[in-house]
Amino acid sequence: MIQSNIAPLGMAVAPHHLASESALAVLREGGNAIEAMVAAAATIAVVYPHMNGLGGDGFWLIVPPQGDPIAIDASGAAGSLADFSFYEDAATIPHRGPKAALTVAGTVSGWAEALEVSAEFGGSAMPVSRLLADAIRYAADGIPVTDSQSSATRSKYHELANQPGFAATFLPDGEVPRPGSRFTQPELADTLSILTEEGLESFYRGSLATRLASEMSALGMPITLEDLNHHHALRRTPLRIEHQSGEVFNMTPPTQGLVSLAILGITDHLNMADADEAQTIHRIVEATKLAFDLRDRYITDPLHMQEQMQTLLDSDLLVQLAGKIDDRQAAPWGTGKGPGDTVWMGVMDSSGLAVSFIQSIYHEFGSGVVIPGTGITWQNRGAAFSLDPDHLLALAPGKQPFHTLNPAAARLNDGRTIVYGSMGGDGQPQTQAAIFTRHVVQGMPLQECVSAPRWLLGRTWGQSSDSLKLEGRFAPETFNQLRALGHEVEELPAFSEAVGHAGAIVRHTNGMLEGACDPRSNGSAAGF
């Protein structure tokens, strides 16, 4: 039996163990789950730089012991210079380089807004200098390079090596860093130190903002100082569904939180509790296709949407969609949005306050552009925009791009609370469905359901195939059954990063906290 980590007072789960420990240290010193998550978010930005960073976006789902959950949208809009004329010689928005770095980075604003929420909850008001202390130390003194970072650098070397600032930051001595070698980021340490001295607002309305704007202008990025000045994280009311197991929450547009909830809402009308492995995968995959169709029809910047997603979830639409699933035949489908690199983290404290959190720069190393003198790698989330003026995701200055990011949480009918999530673009809602279905509906132990083999409908890194991909640890009969149902099935390695780095924390009714971390990552579930 694979055992979860269980603790009575506090728990943190992250895809890098140093981020888990940063959160745990804050909890031990009397900080709450929100403060602990800010510490973890700063640390993970340093120790997993290919997956996330200060130059990216973030989304928070905060679940208090009582009362309504709070969502924070810390995603940035397209710069004021990012219009069609800016890309007049391009058929599509590039994925790398200064023209890919077209949206404001919202991550740091999310940290600031979350700390405002913490203060309203009566948090301990730990100084930012304490919360960022670990991150500053790891950036200045160095951390061991992970296999994940080394592999990502090697596989994307030809795309990134010549991007502004990349080689100086991520190719020490001009070489791909070896796993286990010491990796320092002194300029990022200085930037984090400025945030502790001048406040997190400095990123948008201070000396750091002025410097960022100047450097971005010199690089030819379409983001101005005014764009930074105008950015603020936004509090949202999370989307939710009433599942037979309890109330499930997720993020509002411009994220695909709708997809994750729709999959669970559709499969809730099927007999998932008694489904075997192949049936479970088939039904979730078929529900995913239907949910992706909803996503592609509706989700964009909330200011540009015609439908209210909560109204959609509250209607009888999910029942109707469940009726379209054929247990004997896979339905055809189009294409997905593709992969994305992200970190999901969860924290719970002894009061019952829980946080489900995602932070991302989109593709590995984002745009590949490192802002000179800052150590900040800027995201390429704006590559999700279309240059077709009639497209739902058409580019416009000040418009938020579509996001695959969506942290999840649930309050179950039996009194438990769960936060869970994953990285992985199109794979995020599929992995969420796997975790929730296996653990909550089918009763699989928490760590076992995170470690168990998973699947991905859609593309993985560097591939164009939108097939159904299964990790090789699935039984041969499962592969055969799915092929017999008409799925185009391919095999992934046994513990493939392509299916994401998942994690979860459950608060049991006796107050015990149970955490599970993904063996595909470099993380841990740490508690005390």
Side-chain angles (χ1 to χ4, degrees):
M1 176 79 71
I2 301 173
Q3 295 295 325
S4 301
N5 193 328
I6 298 178
L9 296 177
M11 177 73 69
V13 172
H16 195 291
H17 65 95
L18 292 177
S20 302
E21 292 299 330
S22 289
L24 205 63
V26 169
L27 293 175
R28 286 182 183 276
E29 293 172 27
N32 65 23
I34 295 171
E35 293 167 316
M37 186 59 84
V38 170
T43 291
I44 201 81
V46 173
V47 301
Y48 243 30
H50 55 307
M51 295 285 189
N52 77 120
L54 273 64
D57 288 336
F59 295 93
W60 294 70
L61 187 51
I62 300 168
V63 184
Q66 291 88 32
D68 293 331
I70 297 168
I72 298 174
D73 174 352
S75 65
S80 55
L81 303 180
D83 55 19
F84 290 126
S85 65
F86 188 74
Y87 298 95
E88 60 183 352
D89 296 325
T92 59
I93 295 172
H95 284 82
R96 305 293 191 185
K99 287 199 169 185
L102 71 139
T103 58
V104 172
T107 284
V108 176
S109 71
W111 300 355
E113 186 64 25
L115 292 175
E116 290 288 335
V117 174
S118 174
E120 293 167 17
F121 286 167
S124 61
M126 279 193 174
V128 171
S129 58
R130 169 60 192 90
L131 301 180
L132 272 55
D134 285 357
I136 293 170
R137 178 189 170 195
Y138 296 138
D141 295 344
I143 47 100
V145 172
T146 61
D147 286 336
S148 182
Q149 179 183 339
S150 181
S151 175
T153 308
R154 183 177 300 104
S155 67
K156 300 301 178 183
Y157 179 92
H158 66 286
E159 298 177 20
L160 298 168
N162 294 322
Q163 299 302 338
F166 184 85
T169 305
F170 294 110
L171 299 175
D173 301 318
E175 302 290 336
V176 173
R178 299 184 313 277
S181 61
R182 182 186 292 267
F183 177 66
T184 61
Q185 300 168 82
E187 291 181 344
L188 184 58
D190 291 343
T191 295
L192 289 164
S193 295
I194 290 171
L195 293 176
T196 66
E197 294 160 5
E198 300 182 13
L200 299 177
E201 284 291 304
S202 180
F203 195 99
Y204 305 97
R205 289 162 285 277
S207 67
L208 181 56
T210 301
R211 180 172 189 178
L212 288 171
S214 175
E215 297 291 355
M216 289 191 290
S217 177
L219 288 169
M221 291 166 56
I223 303 169
T224 67
L225 179 60
E226 290 72 24
D227 296 330
L228 293 173
N229 291 167
H230 292 157
H231 174 82
H232 295 272
L234 301 171
R235 294 194 198 185
R236 307 284 196 189
T237 300
L239 296 178
R240 64 189 71 200
I241 60 166
E242 291 293 340
H243 189 276
Q244 62 181 329
S245 301
E247 194 169 23
V248 190
F249 307 98
N250 214 298
M251 196 67 206
T252 56
T255 82
Q256 64 174 347
L258 168 77
V259 175
S260 296
L261 293 179
I263 293 171
L264 291 180
I266 292 168
T267 55
D268 195 30
H269 298 288
L270 308 173
N271 182 17
M272 300 303 290
D274 297 324
D276 63 23
E277 189 170 76
Q279 287 174 324
T280 296
I281 296 170
H282 173 72
R283 290 171 182 172
I284 292 176
V285 165
E286 295 305 290
T288 298
K289 295 173 183 177
L290 296 168
F292 279 170
D293 180 64
L294 294 177
R295 174 190 73 184
D296 296 343
R297 271 194 281 158
Y298 295 119
I299 297 179
T300 183
D301 182 323
L303 297 178
H304 294 254
M305 290 179 60
Q306 304 301 313
E307 298 281 344
Q308 293 296 319
M309 295 300 95
Q310 188 59 56
T311 302
L312 208 63
L313 291 170
D314 290 340
S315 70
D316 61 358
L317 176 62
L318 302 184
V319 179
Q320 296 172 22
L321 293 177
K324 293 184 177 182
I325 292 179
D326 187 342
D327 263 349
R328 299 162 299 176
Q329 181 65 46
W333 80 297
T335 59
K337 297 287 187 183
D341 280 315
T342 304
V343 294
W344 176 88
M345 300 190 291
V347 177
M348 286 191 187
D349 63 29
S350 59
S351 77
L353 180 63
V355 179
S356 184
F357 171 79
I358 280 188
Q359 193 164 267
S360 174
I361 50 175
Y362 198 23
H363 291 181
E364 300 101 325
F365 298 104
S367 66
V369 174
V370 182
I371 309 300
T374 70
I376 298 174
T377 306
W378 214 263
Q379 65 185 354
N380 64 336
R381 183 61 62 173
F385 283 119
S386 170
L387 293 180
D388 177 356
D390 297 322
H391 197 282
L392 180 68
L393 303 180
L395 174 66
K399 184 178 181 180
Q400 287 180 285
F402 167 80
H403 276 270
T404 53
L405 314 178
N406 63 112
R411 285 174 171 154
L412 304 178
N413 293 334
D414 60 13
R416 291 179 294 161
T417 298
I418 178 171
V419 293
Y420 61 105
S422 175
M423 54 82 88
D426 278 345
Q428 284 187 45
Q430 301 179 60
T431 295
Q432 287 185 21
I435 292 172
F436 190 91
T437 302
R438 285 169 165 172
H439 181 63
V440 177
V441 179
Q442 297 176 341
M444 184 182 290
L446 188 65
Q447 183 61 59
E448 187 176 336
C449 83
V450 170
S451 300
R454 293 201 297 269
W455 65 91
L456 170 70
L457 175 69
R459 284 171 287 152
T460 59
W461 291 266
Q463 297 181 346
S464 58
S465 168
D466 280 286
S467 61
L468 175 60
K469 298 170 176 64
L470 274 68
E471 288 186 299
R473 292 179 294 136
F474 278 108
E477 309 89 77
T478 299
F479 279 88
N480 294 335
Q481 285 178 264
L482 291 168
R483 289 191 176 106
L485 289 169
H487 294 282
E488 179 190 352
V489 180
E490 295 184 49
E491 185 173 336
L492 293 171
F495 285 92
S496 174
E497 278 194 309
V499 298
H501 298 161
I505 304 177
V506 173
R507 180 180 177 83
H508 293 279
T509 54
N510 64 358
M512 294 293 102
L513 303 175
E514 180 179 10
C517 184
D518 203 319
R520 302 164 184 85
S521 74
N522 298 95
S524 64
F528 79 103

